[in-house]
Amino acid sequence: MAEVASEVIVARTGRNCQRYEEKFRLVAGCIPYRLKATVENGADNLQDRLEVLMISSPNRQDLIFPKGGWENDETIVEAASREALEEAGVRGIIKEPILGEWKFRSKTRQNSSSSEGTCKGYMFAMEVTEELQCWPEQASHDRRWLCTSDAWKICRYDWMREALSSCVSFLSGQALFSSVKLPEPSSYFFPQQLNLLSTHSADDFFSPVTCYQC
């Protein structure tokens, strides 16, 4: 019987294709999730069944959700899916609408008072359908499934906690009402079905003008 070659996935590196809007680096990410079939107490509500996947970073005890630069040759959904695959080794179904927009500073610009070095991040919920045993950034990122309350406690960034709250609300069937506005279509490829994202918001969960340190 012929051997089947294993899939080889290589992470993208560099920022030659990175998208920018004015001085903001555009970032896409997601909150990977799954629903447990059963729980110990027999409850059937979302909070008891929902688990989210977080990743570690070298020399850190806290955790984050997968995210990274949105590049010129991909849609925002493709970017979020790629980051989940590269950093957490999972594939899944990106759920729309977008959870929200957050602004935060990169590590090298935390003490800067200018807008240079600031990122604008867009987050989605992603239903995980496949977990890979090996993934491109496995040496840098371990992964861990957590209930939402534990994820909230161990999450590194306030803006990611807000994204988690927005994700739980969305999965609970509550509508998102935000003023999220993506860059103009003329500056990038953006499929027709994603135009609806600009009509959704998550103002109940975050302040769009808040700038966090990353």
Side-chain angles (χ1 to χ4, degrees):
M1 181 180 296
E3 293 185 2
V4 178
S6 59
E7 181 180 14
V8 177
I9 304 170
V10 179
R12 293 189 178 193
T13 59
R15 294 188 179 179
N16 294 333
C17 297
Q18 172 66 53
R19 293 179 188 267
Y20 291 88
E21 181 187 16
E22 298 177 347
K23 293 185 178 181
F24 291 97
R25 176 178 177 238
L26 300 185
V27 169
C30 64
I31 299 179
Y33 74 89
R34 67 184 181 188
L35 296 175
K36 293 186 293 184
T38 59
V39 292
E40 293 182 0
N41 61 9
D44 193 33
N45 59 65
L46 178 70
Q47 289 282 16
D48 288 327
R49 295 180 59 203
L50 180 63
E51 292 183 323
V52 294
L53 186 66
M54 304 190 75
I55 58 174
S56 64
S57 300
N59 304 315
R60 298 287 302 237
Q61 298 299 315
D62 46 17
L63 302 176
I64 60 175
F65 296 110
K67 65 164 178 62
W70 176 13
E71 300 193 347
N72 292 325
D73 63 345
E74 60 188 353
T75 68
I76 191 170
V77 168
E78 290 171 341
S81 298
R82 175 178 55 78
E83 291 297 335
L85 181 62
E86 292 178 353
E87 295 188 344
V90 292
R91 291 190 175 101
I93 303 169
I94 293 289
K95 303 293 186 177
E96 297 176 33
I98 200 168
L99 295 176
E101 170 196 298
W102 289 267
K103 296 185 177 80
F104 52 92
R105 294 194 182 280
S106 64
K107 295 178 181 178
T108 58
R109 295 285 182 173
Q110 289 186 3
N111 298 320
S112 174
S113 59
S114 72
S115 60
E116 186 176 356
T118 302
C119 301
K120 184 179 292 185
Y122 305 97
M123 297 291 285
F124 293 88
M126 186 182 82
E127 180 184 359
V128 173
T129 58
E130 181 182 3
E131 291 185 58
L132 304 183
Q133 295 303 309
C134 299
W135 61 96
E137 299 185 21
Q138 188 172 6
S140 301
H141 301 296
D142 290 328
R143 63 189 180 192
R144 182 176 171 188
W145 285 104
L146 298 163
C147 65
T148 54
S149 59
D150 288 342
W152 179 275
K153 296 173 185 176
I154 204 169
C155 187
R156 182 181 308 169
Y157 304 124
D158 288 339
W159 73 269
M160 282 193 173
R161 291 190 182 92
E162 294 172 353
L164 176 59
S165 292
S166 186
C167 180
V168 172
S169 176
F170 167 65
L171 295 177
S172 298
Q174 300 180 30
L176 300 178
F177 304 100
S178 89
S179 55
V180 173
K181 180 174 175 57
L182 295 169
E184 292 299 322
S186 60
S187 64
Y188 59 87
F189 169 70
F190 204 73
Q192 182 69 28
Q193 63 266 32
L194 293 183
N195 289 339
L196 59 89
L197 298 182
S198 63
T199 65
H200 297 279
S201 169
D203 287 339
D204 290 340
F205 303 97
F206 69 96
S207 170
V209 298
T210 302
C211 186
Y212 296 95
Q213 292 187 348
C214 176

